[in-house]
């Protein structure tokens, strides 16, 4: 790698690492946040769910927006929103303000993740360098989850849960200062269309699906609100599939989804995220509310879980 490539790699990997840290840094502080701002135990999940709704619902849409406005522009804009929303979360004095900050963090994540990955891929030609960069990206995102859990516990015990938000601000500021001059923009050779029907149906479908699953945990699987959200989400996602099959510039080309590598990659990713994120949320409450662990002890316990993911990320390239 040239010195410029190393700097680009450090900047992009550092940003993705921070995004990964955000997935877990607040988890171990949830009981403390709840006590400080007046969340009931049953409503603590919304601190995580509000982030997940925005991040899951808008990632595909922002991936296409990045192709239209430029990946570098969206990446820088997303990092700016992430820094501002983190400051807002750290200063929050009510549940409403905190949840607003989490939604904005989720939107920033939905913008930065696809744009950053596209910039990382185009910064290196196909071959060993790109494979190495993507392997490091996987390892660092896994390490970010582990570091986030430990760091969240450390900050909560020594300072305050608010520093789980504030720590993002200087990192985002550093990226915003360096990215405009270091990162080279990339766009597809042909300017794609936005595919508005596809964007509306997939975003709405994912939002309703996650909302339905969340409502099921609060009111039960047979509650009318739960069934309505799940059914509406399923209808919109089915419509999305039909739209993508006919669209001139689909958000997700359906022929790609049939490739074995994509099928197995998506399946493994779905299983990993579905099990690990729910496991971490429930274990956080169990370790602290039932067993009486401190936030730091909880973070260290999750560090054991993270070692395997780091090793997997290093070998994955």
């Amino acid at each position: 790698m040239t010195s410029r490539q190393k700097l680009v790699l450090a900047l992009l990997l550092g940003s993705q690492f921070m995004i990964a840290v955000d997935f877990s840094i607040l988890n171990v502080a949830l009981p403390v946040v709840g006590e400080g701002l007046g969340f009931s135990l049953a409503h603590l999940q919304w601190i995580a769910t509000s982030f997940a709704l925005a991040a899951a619902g808008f990632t595909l849409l922002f991936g296409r927006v990045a192709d239209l406005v430029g990946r570098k522009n969206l990446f820088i804009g997303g990092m700016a929103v992430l820094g501002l929303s983190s400051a807002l979360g750290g200063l929050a004095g009510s549940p409403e303000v905190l949840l607003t900050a989490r939604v904005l963090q989720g939107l920033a994540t939905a913008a930065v993740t696809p744009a950053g990955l596209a910039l990382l891929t185009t910064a290196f030609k196909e071959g060993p360098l790109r494979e190495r960069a993507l392997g490091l990206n996987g390892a660092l995102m896994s390490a970010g989850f582990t570091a986030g859990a430990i760091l969240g516990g450390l900050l909560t015990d020594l300072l305050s849960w608010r520093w789980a938000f504030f720590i993002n601000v200087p990192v985002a500021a550093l990226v915003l200062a360096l990215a405009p001059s270091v990162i080279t923009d990339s766009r597809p050779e042909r300017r794609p269309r936005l595919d508005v029907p596809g964007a509306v149906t997939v975003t709405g479908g994912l939002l309703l699906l996650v909302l339905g699953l969340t409502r099921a945990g609060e009111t039960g699987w047979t509650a009318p609100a739960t069934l309505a959200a799940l059914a509406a989400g399923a209808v919109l996602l089915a419509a999305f599939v039909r739209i993508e099959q006919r669209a001139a510039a689909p958000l997700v080309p359906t022929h790609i989804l049939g490739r074995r590598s994509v099928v197995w990659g998506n399946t493994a990713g779905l299983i990993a995220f579905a099990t690990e994120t729910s496991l971490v949320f429930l274990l956080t409450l169990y370790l602290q509310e039932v067993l009486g662990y401190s936030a730091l002890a909880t973070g260290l316990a999750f560090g054991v879980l993270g070692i395997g993911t780091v090793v997997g990320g290093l070998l994955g390239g």
Side-chain angles (χ1 to χ4, degrees), residues 243-268:
I243 290 169
E244 297 308 279
Q245 290 173 341
R246 301 178 180 181
L251 277 179
V252 181
T254 52
H255 68 276
I256 291 178
L257 295 179
R259 294 180 182 176
R260 287 176 58 86
S261 59
V262 176
V263 170
W264 286 110
N266 282 336
T267 302

Side-chain angles (χ1 to χ4, degrees), residues 45-46 49-50 52-53 56 204-221 225-230 232-233:
Q45 65 172 319
W46 281 103
T49 301
S50 58
L53 276 168
L206 288 173
L207 286 172
L208 287 167
L209 183 63
V210 176
L211 179 62
L213 293 173
T214 303
R215 297 293 298 174
E218 291 184 334
T219 60
W221 289 98
T226 301
L227 295 175
L230 291 175

Side-chain angles (χ1 to χ4, degrees), residues 12 16 62-63 66 70-72 74-76 110-120 186:
L12 292 175
Q16 299 286 24
F62 281 146
R71 293 154 183 169
K72 178 180 176 180
L74 188 68
F75 175 78
I76 292 174
V112 170
T113 301
L117 188 59
L119 289 169
L120 181 67
S186 68

Side-chain angles (χ1 to χ4, degrees), residues 4 7-12 15 71-80 112 116 119 171-186:
R4 183 180 181 84
L7 184 57
V8 170
L9 183 65
L11 198 63
L12 292 175
S15 303
R71 293 154 183 169
K72 178 180 176 180
N73 292 333
L74 188 68
F75 175 78
I76 292 174
M79 290 301 297
V112 170
L119 289 169
V171 179
L174 179 63
V175 172
L176 290 173
L178 296 176
S181 59
V182 172
I183 295 177
T184 302
D185 201 1
S186 68

Side-chain angles (χ1 to χ4, degrees), residues 81-92 101 105 165-166 168-169:
V81 173
L82 185 61
L84 293 172
S85 59
S86 297
L88 178 65
L91 297 171
Q105 281 188 321
F165 286 98
F166 286 144
N168 285 339
V169 178

